[in-house]
Amino acid sequence: MAEAVKSSRRQAAEREETRRQLVEGMKQTRDQLNHAYAQFNIYTDPDLVDACVYEINSLQSRYSYYVRQVKALEAAREGTA
């Protein structure tokens, strides 16, 4: 029984570390998105504007990935709680 408690605690710690990393990735991506939007608002050259649009789309996809992963992790946590 003691092993089961240790295993459960270890899994909870691993889930929390994974969640922390995902949230950190979300924060970094949000900062990168803000920077990309700022560049988009500054540039007038069509090629640079296109590059900003591609970067913004890429970062939005990455941010969506992080959101889905955090939600899935929290749903799994609620299912085991």
Side-chain angles (χ1 to χ4, degrees), residues 8 34 41 55 76:
S8 177
N34 289 336
N41 290 329
E55 184 176 4

Side-chain angles (χ1 to χ4, degrees), residues 14 17 20 26 37 41-42 50-52 57 61 63 65 70:
E14 288 173 0
E17 176 61 20
R20 188 197 63 74
M26 287 175 67
Y37 278 118
N41 290 329
I42 292 171
D50 282 347
C52 287
N57 286 334
S61 293
Y63 190 82
Y65 164 80
V70 168

Side-chain angles (χ1 to χ4, degrees), residues 2-81:
E3 288 298 318
V5 171
K6 287 181 184 179
S7 177
S8 177
R9 287 182 184 164
R10 188 176 321 118
Q11 289 175 349
E14 288 173 0
R15 280 195 305 269
E16 187 55 36
E17 176 61 20
T18 299
R19 184 182 186 288
R20 188 197 63 74
Q21 290 174 353
L22 290 169
V23 170
E24 180 62 29
M26 287 175 67
K27 289 178 185 176
Q28 290 176 358
T29 303
R30 190 172 44 241
D31 290 343
Q32 291 171 338
L33 259 171
N34 289 336
H35 179 72
Y37 278 118
Q39 286 181 319
F40 176 81
N41 290 329
I42 292 171
Y43 293 147
T44 57
D45 182 88
D47 290 333
L48 293 176
V49 170
D50 282 347
C52 287
V53 169
Y54 286 116
E55 184 176 4
I56 289 167
N57 286 334
S58 172
L59 290 167
Q60 286 174 333
S61 293
R62 183 183 307 163
Y63 190 82
S64 293
Y65 164 80
Y66 284 127
V67 169
R68 284 192 314 273
Q69 293 300 308
V70 168
K71 285 182 180 180
L73 193 64
E74 289 175 354
R77 183 184 337 172
E78 290 174 8
T80 60

